[in-house]
Amino acid sequence: MLLISSLMVIGIASLIDDSFQQGLQRYLNHGEERKLRLVSENLSSYYSEDKGWDELTPEVAEFILGRIFARPSENSSEPQKARSRYVARLLRRITVFDNNWRPLWNKDITLGNDEIVKVPIRYNHKLVGWVATKKRDITPGALESSFHKQQKYNLMWIVLWVTLISFVLSWLLVRHLLTPLKRLEDATSSIQEGDYQTKIQIDGEDELAALSMRFNELSQSLLVQKETREQWLADISHELRTPISVLKSEIEALQDGIRKPEPKYIDSLHYQVQNLNKLVNDLYQLSLSDAGMQFDLTESVNIKKLIENNCLQYQLRFQEKKIQLQHYFQESAVNTITGDSKALTQLFSNLFENSLRYTDGPGILNVQVTQDKKIMQIRIEDSAPGVPDAALPKLFERLFRVDESRSRLSGGSGLGLSICQTIVKAHHGKMLASHSELGGLAITINLPISSK
């Protein structure tokens, strides 16, 4: 940064110096042009149409220049002799050309038009010649040279001071940048070593502070994921250990002769194996859902027909438990969406199974399908018992049960609603749980309607 700042300052100083030289040169040449205009006005009277410029000699020109420039200015203390030397120098630098560009004296001034300062001489509004002098390529006078040197000296000090200030500012800026970056590096190393409770101290409100804040959010997210993963593994171990322990104890009872291999004991073993098999299948399906590999969202699915088929399949089981199954479809609603028919069938099967398992008989299960703009809303609500307020936000968590003992007796694994939520999210929808007006649980599903 210091190198870049120094190069920029030196470059700017060079440009300023070059611009100053060019500006000074233009200023001096403009002054020369003003002098030549005065000379041109006084020379035109020495031209005649018969003899041309024969009357104009160097002596006459010196007399004219002396008459113009040798007079001391008002209130000037400059001696007449000094002004005479000025006229002599001026006479050596200028010359007069006729209208064919032939010099009348100082014949060494034969430069191109881009190297001289020239002013036309007119006689009776007719171009009769030119008065010219060389352009000033350098600052010739002692005063001009001294002024130029003074400006370069000032520029040099300006460059030195700006470079010093740039060094101080660069050092402060680098220190400001490196301090939070060092903190970020140390915190990243801690995260890499598994310390997800690492936090970075946030100072200020700049971009580095925003980066530190994002890092703290990432650290917190990793910590939550770690705790969730550990809890998830502990819950899975617990869920698998329970049916395995029951199977082990019953099989050992049969082996030891405590129980005889009667059908009722074999049915009990089969029931535990079924529960274990269902739990393993649910876990496998959730793992596939997390990987995002099992859904084909390109089918055109008729939701009305799909729900009616599920109602027919569960009708008998609901009747046996004395639960009245009702469904309502809005006539103006679009029934078709784009999605995976197998996954949506499983979605409604899991919800019906959940209501069948946890709703007391006699009871009611009501299914409503309505449309709101481009959203299809499916509401499935059942009667008592309800769900406590504290349990509503946790219903879609994996392996969560409102009543552990009752859920285990009814065969629930605590994964059904989690699978449902995964299916709904895969279809770019939303799933909400709330209290039902019937006294039980209401599940509301919002799915985007197909454009077909």
Side-chain angles (χ1 to χ4, degrees):
M1 294 181 65
L2 176 61
L3 176 63
I4 293 174
S5 300
S6 301
L7 291 176
M8 290 181 61
V9 170
I10 293 173
I12 292 173
S14 300
L15 292 175
I16 292 175
D17 182 63
D18 183 67
S19 175
F20 172 77
Q21 291 188 46
Q22 293 182 7
L24 181 59
Q25 181 180 342
R26 285 194 296 269
Y27 170 76
L28 295 174
N29 288 328
H30 183 69
E32 294 291 303
E33 185 178 349
R34 287 191 301 169
K35 296 175 183 178
L36 294 180
R37 290 189 183 279
L38 292 174
V39 175
S40 172
E41 293 173 0
N42 286 270
L43 289 180
S44 60
S45 59
Y46 289 86
Y47 177 82
S48 66
E49 297 193 7
D50 296 335
K51 298 180 181 181
W53 291 103
D54 292 345
E55 297 182 3
L56 183 61
T57 62
E59 292 75 13
V60 174
E62 183 177 5
F63 171 76
I64 295 173
L65 294 177
R67 188 177 60 185
I68 299 173
F69 298 107
R71 291 173 300 176
S73 58
E74 185 176 358
N75 298 326
S76 175
S77 60
E78 185 179 14
Q80 184 72 25
K81 184 177 180 181
R83 299 298 297 176
S84 299
R85 288 198 300 267
Y86 172 76
V87 170
R89 290 197 305 269
L90 184 61
L91 183 63
R92 288 193 299 269
R93 289 196 300 107
I94 68 172
T95 190
V96 177
F97 296 86
D98 61 15
N99 55 355
N100 294 320
W101 283 98
R102 290 190 296 267
L104 302 185
W105 70 82
N106 288 347
K107 296 185 178 182
D108 58 323
I109 304 181
T110 57
L111 304 176
N113 291 337
D114 58 338
E115 298 178 352
I116 62 174
V117 180
K118 59 182 180 179
V119 172
I121 304 174
R122 300 185 182 278
Y123 179 79
N124 294 332
H125 306 289
K126 176 184 176 183
L127 180 64
V128 295
W130 299 85
V131 58
T133 185
K134 289 183 180 181
K135 284 186 176 180
R136 298 236 181 145
D137 294 329
I138 57 173
T139 53
L143 182 61
E144 292 87 348
S145 298
S146 175
F147 178 71
H148 186 209
K149 290 179 180 179
Q150 182 64 36
Q151 295 303 311
K152 293 184 70 174
Y153 180 79
N154 293 339
L155 267 178
M156 180 188 69
W157 277 106
I158 291 174
V159 169
L160 291 177
W161 275 108
V162 171
T163 303
L164 179 60
I165 294 173
S166 299
F167 172 76
V168 175
L169 293 178
S170 300
W171 180 76
L172 293 175
L173 183 59
V174 169
R175 183 181 178 184
H176 171 74
L177 293 174
L178 288 184
T179 300
L181 289 178
K182 186 64 171 62
R183 294 176 188 168
L184 183 60
E185 181 185 5
D186 295 340
T188 304
S189 300
S190 299
I191 291 289
Q192 188 176 8
E193 295 173 359
D195 183 9
Y196 299 117
Q197 294 183 347
T198 301
K199 298 293 182 182
I200 299 178
Q201 179 182 350
I202 300 176
D203 297 326
E205 299 179 355
D206 55 5
E207 289 77 3
L208 290 173
L211 179 61
S212 300
M213 184 181 300
R214 295 295 179 269
F215 181 89
N216 290 341
E217 293 174 357
L218 173 62
S219 175
Q220 181 64 28
S221 176
L222 291 174
L223 179 61
V224 171
Q225 291 181 22
K226 178 186 176 183
E227 294 175 349
T228 302
R229 182 173 64 253
E230 293 174 350
Q231 182 64 39
W232 170 241
L233 292 174
D235 292 342
I236 291 176
S237 301
H238 177 71
E239 293 298 326
L240 291 175
R241 185 168 56 250
T242 300
I244 291 175
S245 298
V246 174
L247 282 172
K248 182 175 180 294
S249 61
E250 292 188 2
I251 292 174
E252 288 177 350
L254 291 174
Q255 289 176 336
D256 296 339
I258 299 175
R259 289 182 181 177
K260 295 181 179 181
E262 298 178 2
K264 61 178 182 179
Y265 297 125
I266 295 176
D267 290 342
S268 176
L269 291 174
H270 183 259
Y271 178 75
Q272 294 295 335
V273 170
Q274 282 183 324
N275 286 342
L276 186 60
N277 182 66
K278 185 177 184 305
L279 176 60
V280 172
N281 287 335
D282 288 345
L283 291 172
Y284 176 70
Q285 185 173 8
L286 279 175
S287 66
L288 292 179
S289 300
D290 292 339
M293 298 184 298
Q294 82 283 19
F295 297 121
D296 180 13
L297 305 179
T298 60
E299 303 179 51
S300 181
V301 183
N302 190 316
I303 294 295
K304 178 180 178 182
K305 184 177 180 180
L306 191 148
I307 292 178
E308 287 178 343
N309 291 337
N310 275 272
C311 289
L312 289 175
Q313 292 176 6
Y314 280 86
Q315 184 70 43
L316 182 59
R317 296 177 62 187
F318 277 110
Q319 288 178 357
E320 291 176 351
K321 199 173 180 180
K322 297 181 181 180
I323 298 177
Q324 183 180 358
L325 181 58
Q326 302 174 346
H327 56 80
Y328 165 76
F329 298 97
Q330 183 179 341
E331 295 182 359
S332 60
V334 177
N335 298 319
T336 303
I337 68 169
T338 300
D340 189 324
S341 59
K342 293 182 180 180
L344 291 173
T345 300
Q346 183 181 9
L347 167 67
F348 296 114
S349 296
N350 286 356
L351 293 176
F352 281 19
E353 192 73 37
N354 191 72
S355 295
L356 180 63
R357 182 178 293 117
Y358 300 119
T359 303
D360 294 337
I364 299 175
L365 176 65
N366 187 20
V367 181
Q368 293 185 353
V369 179
T370 58
Q371 178 183 344
D372 182 14
K373 297 181 180 179
K374 295 295 182 180
I375 299 296
M376 176 182 291
Q377 187 176 90
I378 304 164
R379 185 176 177 85
I380 301 175
E381 52 184 335
D382 52 36
S383 54
V387 176
D389 293 338
L392 282 177
K394 302 179 180 180
L395 284 179
F396 301 119
E397 294 181 3
R398 299 175 181 183
L399 301 175
F400 174 78
R401 294 187 178 95
V402 177
D403 187 341
E404 288 283 342
S405 59
R406 182 183 176 191
S407 298
R408 203 174 299 283
L409 289 174
S410 62
S413 65
L415 296 174
L417 291 180
S418 297
I419 295 174
C420 292
Q421 187 184 49
T422 301
I423 295 173
V424 172
K425 285 184 176 181
H427 287 75
H428 309 291
K430 293 183 178 180
M431 188 174 182
L432 304 173
S434 60
H435 296 294
S436 170
E437 295 180 357
L438 301 177
L441 176 67
I443 300 294
T444 303
I445 302 171
N446 295 325
L447 295 174
I449 298 175
S450 171
S451 58
K452 296 183 178 178

